[in-house]
Each structure stands twice: as C-alpha cells, then as structure tokens.
Amino acid sequence: MRLAVFLLACTATAAQADHRLTGRDLDAGAALYSENCASCHGADLEGQPDWRTPGSDGVLPAPPHDVTGHTWHHDTPLLLAYTLKGGQAALEARGVTGFTSGMPAFEDALSEDQVLDILGFIHSTWPEQAQEVQSQRTHAAE
C-alpha cells in the first residue's frame, strides 16, 4: 500500500510538471505577450533579424518564440526564471557564465501566473512534436 501511495505521488508530481503550461489563459497570454514581449520577439513570435549573430556589444538579438527558434528546446522552469529574473541571472543560477544576455527581468512587471499564461500561449503555437519535446525536457529538469 505504501508503495502505491509513493508511486501515485511521483506520478502526480510528473503530471503537474507536464501541465504547467496547459489550461492556461491563452487569450490573456496572447495579450500579455503583445504588451510585453512583441516589441523585441515580434508580433508573430518571429524574433529579430539575424538573431543568431551577436551585435557589436556581444549580445544576441531577441530570438523567435515560434518553432523556428529554440524556446521549445528549454524546460519550463528555465523559461520562467529567464523571464522573471532576466536572462543573465537565470543562466548564472544554472552555472552558465561568460554569456551576456539581453533579456531583461520582468519580475517587477509580471506575476508568475502571467508569465505562465504567456508561455502557455507561446507553447500553444508549436506543433505537437515540439510541445512534446519541451514537455520531456521539463520533466527531466524537475
């Protein structure tokens, strides 16, 4: 019986991690994306031109959030931290140094739930295979 309870608890944790971006308010996420993200990442999630080439300051332009970018390659906790704390702080918290991120922190402007709505909106635009890869990476990170 204890084993069954333990296995159920582990399954519930994995399921919860898998569903952080499901059931979000996608309309609110789209509106918040438009207000807070589109000026850099594009109205259609297309990112800035030449986003893989650093500028003269060494900072990469804002990447696309559609499937042509790499957002779906990252786990949800990293995307959440990257948005709330800013790119530099999020990467340094994971031990990544020597990389300068141009992503500002939004923790003073957006709540965690609002960021999750934005991420849910972005997630909803990806093909099913990209959504599944992102979900698997989230499971591996948590």
Side-chain angles (χ1 to χ4, degrees):
M1 179 66 171
R2 287 184 183 172
L3 178 60
V5 171
F6 174 75
L7 291 174
L8 181 60
C10 289
T11 303
T13 301
Q16 182 182 15
D18 189 37
H19 295 294
R20 279 192 94 180
L21 299 183
T22 59
R24 303 304 312 179
D25 186 337
L26 301 183
D27 291 334
L32 288 163
Y33 176 88
S34 180
E35 294 166 16
N36 295 280
C37 314
S39 62
C40 293
H41 292 280
D44 296 319
L45 304 129
E46 73 276 11
Q48 294 179 347
D50 299 321
W51 62 274
R52 289 185 173 116
T53 305
S56 59
D57 59 359
V59 177
L60 290 167
H65 287 311
D66 63 17
V67 75
T68 66
H70 57 80
T71 306
W72 61 276
H73 297 201
H74 301 296
D75 59 86
T76 300
L78 176 62
L79 296 174
L80 187 60
Y82 214 89
T83 306
L84 289 172
K85 301 293 183 188
Q88 200 70 42
L91 291 174
E92 288 174 359
R94 287 203 173 188
V96 177
T97 58
F99 179 82
T100 304
S101 173
M103 176 70 175
F106 281 87
E107 65 187 344
D108 291 336
L110 297 168
S111 70
E112 182 173 316
D113 275 341
Q114 288 175 313
V115 174
L116 286 169
D117 284 346
I118 293 168
L119 294 174
F121 160 69
I122 292 168
H123 184 267
S124 75
T125 69
W126 302 330
E128 188 174 320
Q129 183 178 7
Q131 290 182 19
E132 180 60 30
V133 167
Q134 198 275 335
S135 176
Q136 290 172 358
R137 292 185 180 186
T138 296
H139 282 295
E142 292 187 331

